Structures are given as C-alpha cells and as structure tokens.
C-alpha cells in the first residue's frame, strides 16, 4: 500500500508541467498554434453556449472535442460534447460533353472505403480536392487539371453542401464545366506523384454512369452531380411549352 508520505511531492521538487501540445502551445507540422480557440467565440445561436474546446489530434488535419450547453425546445439545458474533424473545405466538378452525352470521371484508391468493406478501394469520382488557401473556383480549376489533364474554361457553380455534418466540418463546393470528348485520353494516368496520387481518367456515357450508381459508383459527390446533370443540368430533357 502506498503511504501518505509517498503520495506527497518531495520538498524542493517542482511538479512536472504538461508537455507543450502541437497546434496549441507550439506549432504543429503545418505551423499552426491556438487551434483550441476555434469555436469558442460562436454566438450566432443563443441556444448554444460553448464551454470548452480541446484539440485531440493535430497532424495535417485537426480533431477537436467541444463541450457546450444546448437548450432544447422545451427550454431545458443539457451539457453536450461533440468531436469534429476539420480538414478544410473542398470543391468538386463534373466535366461533361453535352453533344456526346459523356462525362469525365476519375478512379483512384481510397483507403477509408477499402477498410469499410469496399471490395478493392478503387473509387470512381468526379475530380475534387481541398481548397487549401485558394477560393473554390481557383481550387477546382487546379484540381481538374491535376486529376484529368483538362484545362477548365467556362465553369458553372452548382451548389454547396455539407457532406457529413454529424462529425466533419467540410463544406464542398460543386461545379460543372464542359469539355470536348476526345480531348482527354481515357485510361491515362494523372495526379501528383509526390502526394502519392495515381489517378485513372475515365470517360463514361451518361446513361451508363447513371446505371452504375449504387453498383460501382458509390461516391456521394459524384452521384449528386450526375443526378443534377440529368435532372437540372446539361442533360435535362426540356419539355416544349404547351400550345393553346
């Protein structure tokens, strides 16, 4: 049994201070500090009072645990805690040829889906990437060229969506732009080798792509853009106005 004396600090020996935390007290690998202050000043919703923010991990992206008081519809308050994963915002784009009825997509390995029952982890997607320090349109032009080889001309902003609001802060900006069939070689390999990217360019008939939703096209942003293109976008079937 530990005696009372053994539990007491020895005279003249200072208690050890906690090690500095990267991203909070000292710079993390991206040179950031003060990441525990994000969200403390939120006051847009009077039913939410933020009490504390703790940084759980700060590598390339940031995971926080936030404690807050929440007022329910009956007026009662409860103490809640939520973890949020902050990887920054992103952008995605559907490249289409209206006349040929084709779309330009990519296929690449995604470990998170591979570890969650996707057969081989090779996901078919629209070109996409994080904004980093760019505005959404600049970022998606960059990502489209890196991932498909196509230099985007005229671009259309479609909508902005929170993709996983239960835990991920990311807001994704959706775009569409035309390309010319044959201007990019299907099966070519793209991506930044120094970032570990090995991306295959795919050119699919629109109807084929729509038929593959839920089969081998299981990426949410891609499905959303394909359905938008068919229902409201460049492939929408316009009904002629009724005659009197």
């Amino acid at each position: 049994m530990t005696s009372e004396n053994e539990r007491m600090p020895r005279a003249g020996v200072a208690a050890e201070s906690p090690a500095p935390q990267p991203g909070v007290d000292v710079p993390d690998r991206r040179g950031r500090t003060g990441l525990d202050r994000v969200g403390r000043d939120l006051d847009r919703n009077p039913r939410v009072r933020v009490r504390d923010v703790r940084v759980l991990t700060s590598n390339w992206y940031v995971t926080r645990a936030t404690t807050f008081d929440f007022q329910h519809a009956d007026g009662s308050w409860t103490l809640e805690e939520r973890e949020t994963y902050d990887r920054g915002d992103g952008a995605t784009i559907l490249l289409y040829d209206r006349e040929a009825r084709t779309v330009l997509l990519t296929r690449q390995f995604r470990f998170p889906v591979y570890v969650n029952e996707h057969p081989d982890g090779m996901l078919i997607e629209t070109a996409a990437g994080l904004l980093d320090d760019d505005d959404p349109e600049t970022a998606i032009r960059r990502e489209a060229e890196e991932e498909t080889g196509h230099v985007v001309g005229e671009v259309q902003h479609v909508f902005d969506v929170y993709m996983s609001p239960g835990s991920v802060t990311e807001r994704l900006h959706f775009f569409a732009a035309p390309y010319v069939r044959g201007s990019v070689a299907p099966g070519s390999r793209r991506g930044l080798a120094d970032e570990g990217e090995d991306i295959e360019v795919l050119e699919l008939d629109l109807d084929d792509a729509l038929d593959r939703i839920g089969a081998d096209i299981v990426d949410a942003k891609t499905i959303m853009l394909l359905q938008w293109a068919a229902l409201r976008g460049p492939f929408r079937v316009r009904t002629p106005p009724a005659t009197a």
Side-chain angles (χ1 to χ4, degrees):
M1 179 180 293
T2 304
S3 69
E4 187 67 26
N5 288 337
E6 287 175 315
R7 290 198 297 265
M8 296 292 291
R10 289 177 294 165
V13 178
E16 291 186 10
S17 339
Q21 184 178 0
V24 177
D25 313 296
V26 295
D28 63 7
R29 63 179 293 187
R30 298 184 69 175
R32 300 168 297 189
T33 58
L35 295 176
D36 59 325
R37 294 196 291 271
V38 174
R40 291 181 182 272
D41 59 348
L42 290 175
D43 59 3
R44 297 189 301 272
N45 187 340
R47 296 172 59 191
V48 179
R49 300 170 181 168
V50 176
R51 287 192 178 198
D52 187 44
V53 181
R54 293 180 292 116
V55 174
L56 303 181
T57 62
S58 173
N59 189 23
W60 197 251
Y61 310 128
V62 184
T63 307
R64 298 180 180 88
T66 300
T67 305
F68 58 92
D69 297 314
F70 180 76
Q71 186 182 36
H72 296 267
D74 63 2
S76 64
W77 289 85
T78 57
L79 180 64
E80 306 290 340
E81 182 177 88
R82 297 291 186 274
E83 290 187 9
T84 55
Y85 182 57
D86 184 356
R87 62 195 300 267
D89 291 343
T92 186
I93 191 167
L94 179 68
L95 300 173
Y96 64 87
D97 185 322
R98 191 195 311 266
E99 298 302 320
R101 290 185 60 82
T102 57
V103 292
L104 205 61
L105 304 176
T106 67
R107 178 160 47 205
Q108 60 182 305
F109 179 72
R110 298 294 199 182
F111 183 78
V113 303
Y114 184 49
V115 79
N116 192 25
E117 300 188 359
H118 190 283
D120 59 5
M122 303 300 293
L123 214 60
I124 297 176
E125 307 176 48
T126 49
L130 295 178
L131 304 186
D132 295 327
D133 296 323
D134 290 327
D135 63 88
E137 185 174 324
T138 298
I140 200 53
R141 290 178 182 278
R142 178 194 69 226
E143 293 296 330
E145 185 172 0
E146 288 177 359
E147 295 194 359
T148 70
H150 174 68
V151 179
V152 174
E154 180 184 358
V155 65
Q156 176 184 359
H157 175 253
V158 179
F159 42 66
D160 301 331
V161 174
Y162 293 95
M163 297 298 291
S164 187
S167 58
V168 181
T169 62
E170 181 183 22
R171 179 175 55 176
L172 198 60
H173 303 268
F174 285 68
F175 294 90
Y179 84 104
V180 176
R181 184 178 186 182
S183 61
V184 178
S188 58
R189 314 299 298 198
R190 305 293 300 185
L192 301 179
D194 58 353
E195 294 184 6
E197 294 181 337
D198 183 5
I199 300 172
E200 179 187 2
V201 179
L202 300 179
E203 189 172 60
L204 299 181
D205 175 82
L206 173 69
D207 293 325
D208 179 30
L210 291 170
D211 287 343
R212 292 164 71 168
I213 290 176
D216 61 348
I217 295 183
V218 292
D219 171 65
K221 64 181 181 295
T222 306
I223 294 170
M224 293 166 71
L225 277 172
L226 288 173
Q227 292 182 335
W228 165 83
L231 296 174
R232 303 286 301 269
F235 302 109
R236 175 185 180 183
V237 177
R238 289 171 170 78
T239 306
T243 58

